[in-house]
Coordinates of all heavy atoms in Angstrom, one line a residue:
C228 N 132.1 106.1 112.5 CA 132.5 104.8 113.0 C 133.9 104.9 113.8 O 134.6 106.0 113.7 CB 132.5 103.8 112.0 SG 133.6 104.1 110.7
N229 N 134.3 104.0 114.5 CA 135.5 103.9 115.1 C 136.6 103.3 114.2 O 136.2 102.6 113.3 CB 135.4 103.0 116.4 CG 134.5 103.6 117.4 OD1 134.5 104.9 117.6 ND2 133.8 102.9 118.2
D230 N 137.8 103.6 114.4 CA 138.9 103.1 113.5 C 139.2 101.6 113.9 O 139.8 101.0 113.1 CB 140.2 103.9 113.7 CG 140.7 103.9 115.0 OD1 140.1 103.5 116.0 OD2 141.9 104.4 115.2
D231 N 138.7 101.1 115.0 CA 138.8 99.6 115.1 C 137.7 98.8 114.7 O 137.6 97.6 114.9 CB 139.1 99.4 116.7 CG 138.1 99.8 117.6 OD1 137.2 100.6 117.1 OD2 138.0 99.4 118.7
D232 N 136.7 99.4 114.1 CA 135.5 98.6 113.4 C 136.0 98.0 112.2 O 137.0 98.4 111.5 CB 134.5 99.7 113.0 CG 133.6 100.1 114.2 OD1 133.9 99.6 115.3 OD2 132.9 101.1 114.0
T233 N 135.4 96.9 111.8 CA 135.7 96.2 110.6 C 135.0 96.8 109.4 O 134.1 97.6 109.6 CB 135.4 94.7 110.8 OG1 134.0 94.6 110.9 CG2 136.1 94.0 111.9
I234 N 135.3 96.3 108.2 CA 134.7 96.8 106.9 C 133.2 96.4 107.1 O 132.3 97.0 106.6 CB 135.4 96.2 105.8 CG1 136.8 96.9 105.7 CG2 134.8 96.6 104.5 CD1 136.9 98.3 105.4
E235 N 133.0 95.2 107.7 CA 131.6 94.7 107.7 C 130.8 95.6 108.6 O 129.6 95.9 108.2 CB 131.6 93.2 108.2 CG 130.2 92.6 108.3 CD 130.2 91.2 108.7 OE1 131.2 90.7 109.1 OE2 129.1 90.6 108.4
D236 N 131.3 96.1 109.7 CA 130.6 97.0 110.6 C 130.3 98.3 109.7 O 129.1 98.8 109.9 CB 131.4 97.4 111.8 CG 131.7 96.2 112.6 OD1 130.8 95.3 112.6 OD2 132.6 96.2 113.4
L237 N 131.2 98.7 109.0 CA 131.0 100.0 108.1 C 129.9 99.7 107.1 O 129.0 100.5 106.9 CB 132.3 100.3 107.4 CG 132.3 101.4 106.5 CD1 132.1 102.7 107.2 CD2 133.5 101.5 105.6
K238 N 129.8 98.5 106.6 CA 128.9 98.2 105.6 C 127.4 98.2 106.3 O 126.4 98.5 105.7 CB 129.1 96.8 105.0 CG 130.2 96.7 103.9 CD 130.3 95.4 103.3 CE 131.4 95.4 102.2 NZ 131.5 94.0 101.8
K239 N 127.4 97.7 107.5 CA 126.1 97.6 108.2 C 125.6 99.1 108.5 O 124.4 99.3 108.3 CB 126.2 96.9 109.6 CG 126.5 95.4 109.4 CD 126.7 94.8 110.7 CE 126.9 93.3 110.5 NZ 127.3 92.6 111.8
L240 N 126.5 100.0 108.8 CA 126.1 101.3 108.9 C 125.5 102.0 107.7 O 124.6 102.8 107.7 CB 127.2 102.2 109.5 CG 127.7 101.9 111.0 CD1 129.0 102.6 111.2 CD2 126.7 102.2 111.8
V241 N 126.3 101.7 106.5 CA 125.9 102.2 105.2 C 124.5 101.5 104.9 O 123.6 102.3 104.3 CB 126.9 101.9 104.1 CG1 126.4 102.1 102.8 CG2 128.2 102.7 104.4
A242 N 124.4 100.3 105.1 CA 123.1 99.6 104.7 C 121.9 100.2 105.6 O 120.8 100.3 105.0 CB 123.2 98.2 105.0
A243 N 122.1 100.6 106.8 CA 121.0 101.2 107.6 C 120.6 102.5 107.0 O 119.5 102.9 107.0 CB 121.5 101.4 109.0
Q244 N 121.6 103.2 106.4 CA 121.3 104.6 105.9 C 120.7 104.5 104.4 O 119.9 105.3 104.1 CB 122.6 105.5 105.8 CG 123.0 106.0 107.2 CD 124.0 107.0 107.1 OE1 124.4 107.5 106.1 NE2 124.5 107.4 108.3
T245 N 121.2 103.6 103.6 CA 120.7 103.5 102.2 C 119.5 102.6 102.1 O 118.8 102.7 101.1 CB 121.9 103.1 101.4 OG1 122.3 101.8 101.8 CG2 123.0 104.1 101.4
G246 N 119.3 101.7 102.9 CA 118.2 100.7 102.8 C 118.6 99.4 101.9 O 117.7 98.8 101.5
T247 N 119.9 99.3 101.6 CA 120.3 98.1 100.8 C 120.8 97.0 101.8 O 121.1 97.3 102.9 CB 121.3 98.5 99.8 OG1 122.5 99.0 100.6 CG2 120.9 99.4 98.8
R248 N 120.9 95.8 101.3 CA 121.3 94.8 102.1 C 122.9 94.8 102.2 O 123.4 95.2 101.3 CB 120.8 93.4 101.5 CG 119.3 93.2 101.7 CD 118.9 91.8 101.2 NE 119.4 91.6 99.9 CZ 119.2 90.4 99.2 NH1 118.6 89.5 99.8 NH2 119.6 90.2 98.0
V249 N 123.3 94.2 103.3 CA 124.8 94.3 103.5 C 125.5 93.4 102.5 O 126.6 93.7 102.1 CB 125.1 93.8 105.0 CG1 126.5 93.8 105.3 CG2 124.4 94.6 106.0
E250 N 125.0 92.3 102.1 CA 125.6 91.3 101.1 C 125.7 92.0 99.7 O 126.6 91.6 99.0 CB 124.7 90.1 101.0 CG 124.4 89.4 102.3 CD 123.2 89.8 103.0 OE1 122.3 90.3 102.3 OE2 123.2 89.8 104.2
K251 N 125.0 93.0 99.5 CA 125.0 93.7 98.2 C 126.0 94.8 98.1 O 126.3 95.4 97.0 CB 123.6 94.3 97.8 CG 122.5 93.1 97.7 CD 122.8 92.5 96.4 CE 121.6 91.5 96.1 NZ 121.7 90.7 94.8
I252 N 126.6 95.3 99.2 CA 127.5 96.3 99.2 C 128.9 96.0 99.2 O 129.3 95.0 99.7 CB 127.2 97.2 100.6 CG1 125.9 97.8 100.6 CG2 128.3 98.3 100.6 CD1 125.5 98.4 101.8
R253 N 129.6 96.7 98.2 CA 131.1 96.4 98.2 C 131.7 97.8 98.3 O 131.4 98.8 97.6 CB 131.3 95.8 96.8 CG 132.9 95.4 96.6 CD 133.1 94.8 95.3 NE 133.2 95.9 94.2 CZ 132.7 95.8 93.0 NH1 132.1 94.7 92.6 NH2 132.9 96.8 92.1
T254 N 132.8 97.9 99.1 CA 133.6 99.1 99.3 C 134.9 98.8 98.7 O 135.5 97.8 98.9 CB 133.7 99.5 100.8 OG1 134.3 98.4 101.5 CG2 132.3 99.9 101.3
Q255 N 135.5 99.9 98.0 CA 136.8 99.9 97.5 C 137.3 101.4 97.3 O 136.6 102.3 97.4 CB 136.8 99.1 96.2 CG 136.1 99.7 95.0 CD 136.2 98.8 93.8 OE1 135.8 97.8 93.9 NE2 136.6 99.4 92.7
K256 N 138.6 101.3 97.1 CA 139.4 102.6 96.8 C 140.3 102.2 95.7 O 141.2 101.4 95.8 CB 140.1 103.0 98.1 CG 140.9 104.4 97.9 CD 140.0 105.5 97.9 CE 140.8 106.7 98.1 NZ 139.9 107.9 98.2
W257 N 140.1 102.9 94.5 CA 140.8 102.6 93.3 C 140.5 101.1 93.0 O 139.4 100.8 92.7 CB 142.2 102.9 93.4 CG 142.5 104.3 93.4 CD1 142.6 105.2 94.5 CD2 142.7 105.3 92.3 NE1 142.8 106.5 94.2 CE2 142.8 106.6 92.9 CE3 142.6 105.1 91.0 CZ2 143.0 107.7 92.1 CZ3 142.9 106.3 90.2 CH2 143.0 107.5 90.8
Y258 N 141.6 100.3 93.0 CA 141.3 98.9 92.6 C 141.4 98.0 93.9 O 141.3 96.8 93.7 CB 142.3 98.5 91.6 CG 142.2 99.2 90.4 CD1 143.2 100.2 89.9 CD2 141.2 98.9 89.4 CE1 143.1 100.9 88.7 CE2 141.1 99.6 88.2 CZ 142.0 100.6 87.9 OH 141.8 101.3 86.7
N259 N 141.5 98.6 95.0 CA 141.5 97.7 96.2 C 140.3 97.5 96.8 O 139.5 98.4 97.2 CB 142.4 98.4 97.4 CG 143.8 98.6 96.9 OD1 144.4 97.8 96.2 ND2 144.4 99.6 97.3
I260 N 139.7 96.3 96.7 CA 138.5 95.8 97.3 C 138.7 95.4 98.6 O 139.5 94.6 98.9 CB 137.8 94.7 96.4 CG1 137.6 95.2 95.0 CG2 136.5 94.3 97.1 CD1 137.1 94.0 94.1
Y261 N 138.0 96.1 99.6 CA 138.2 95.9 101.0 C 137.5 94.6 101.5 O 136.3 94.4 101.1 CB 137.8 97.1 101.8 CG 138.6 98.3 101.6 CD1 138.0 99.5 101.3 CD2 140.0 98.3 101.5 CE1 138.7 100.7 101.1 CE2 140.7 99.3 101.3 CZ 140.2 100.6 101.0 OH 140.9 101.7 100.8
K262 N 138.2 93.7 102.3 CA 137.5 92.6 102.8 C 136.9 92.8 104.1 O 137.2 93.7 104.9 CB 138.7 91.5 103.0 CG 139.5 91.2 101.7 CD 140.2 90.0 101.8 CE 141.0 89.6 100.5 NZ 140.4 89.8 99.3
D263 N 135.9 92.1 104.4 CA 134.9 92.4 105.6 C 135.6 92.2 106.8 O 135.3 92.9 107.8 CB 133.7 91.4 105.4 CG 132.8 91.8 104.4 OD1 132.9 93.0 103.8 OD2 131.9 91.0 104.0
H264 N 136.5 91.3 107.1 CA 137.0 90.9 108.3 C 138.2 91.8 108.8 O 138.7 91.7 110.0 CB 137.4 89.5 108.5 CG 138.6 89.1 107.5 ND1 138.4 88.9 106.3 CD2 139.9 88.9 107.7 CE1 139.5 88.7 105.7 NE2 140.5 88.7 106.5
I265 N 138.7 92.7 108.0 CA 139.8 93.5 108.4 C 139.4 94.9 108.9 O 138.3 95.5 108.3 CB 140.8 93.7 107.1 CG1 141.2 92.2 106.6 CG2 141.9 94.6 107.4 CD1 142.1 92.3 105.5
T266 N 140.0 95.4 109.9 CA 139.6 96.7 110.5 C 140.0 97.9 109.6 O 141.0 97.7 108.8 CB 140.2 96.9 111.8 OG1 141.7 96.9 111.7 CG2 139.8 95.7 112.8
L267 N 139.4 99.0 109.9 CA 139.8 100.3 109.2 C 141.1 100.8 109.5 O 141.9 101.3 108.7 CB 138.8 101.4 109.6 CG 137.3 101.1 109.3 CD1 136.4 102.2 109.8 CD2 137.1 100.9 107.8
K268 N 141.6 100.5 110.7 CA 143.0 100.9 111.1 C 144.0 100.1 110.3 O 145.0 100.7 110.0 CB 143.1 100.6 112.6 CG 144.4 101.2 113.2 CD 144.7 100.7 114.7 CE 143.4 100.8 115.5 NZ 143.7 100.4 116.8
D269 N 143.8 98.8 110.1 CA 144.6 98.0 109.3 C 144.8 98.5 107.9 O 145.8 98.3 107.2 CB 144.2 96.5 109.4 CG 144.4 95.9 110.7 OD1 145.2 96.4 111.5 OD2 143.7 94.8 110.9

């Protein structure tokens, strides 16, 4: 993906590969849960 994509765009790409719904996916690193509207660059 691009670095100016949002976390929600990343979730859509993951959902297309895994077959799960976007609403069911949560991404995080350690204890930081990433919010959907913030970009990867941020």
Side-chain angles (χ1 to χ4, degrees):
C228 57
N229 295 322
D230 60 351
D231 58 347
D232 287 345
T233 61
I234 297 292
E235 185 175 10
D236 297 334
L237 175 69
K238 285 183 181 182
K239 288 177 184 176
L240 293 172
V241 171
Q244 287 189 7
T245 59
T247 57
R248 293 188 302 178
V249 178
E250 304 87 31
K251 296 285 185 181
I252 295 174
R253 185 178 80 219
T254 55
Q255 69 183 53
K256 181 77 168 184
W257 291 90
Y258 296 106
N259 296 332
I260 299 174
Y261 294 132
K262 302 199 185 308
D263 288 343
H264 64 280
I265 299 177
T266 62
L267 300 175
K268 190 186 319 180
D269 292 338

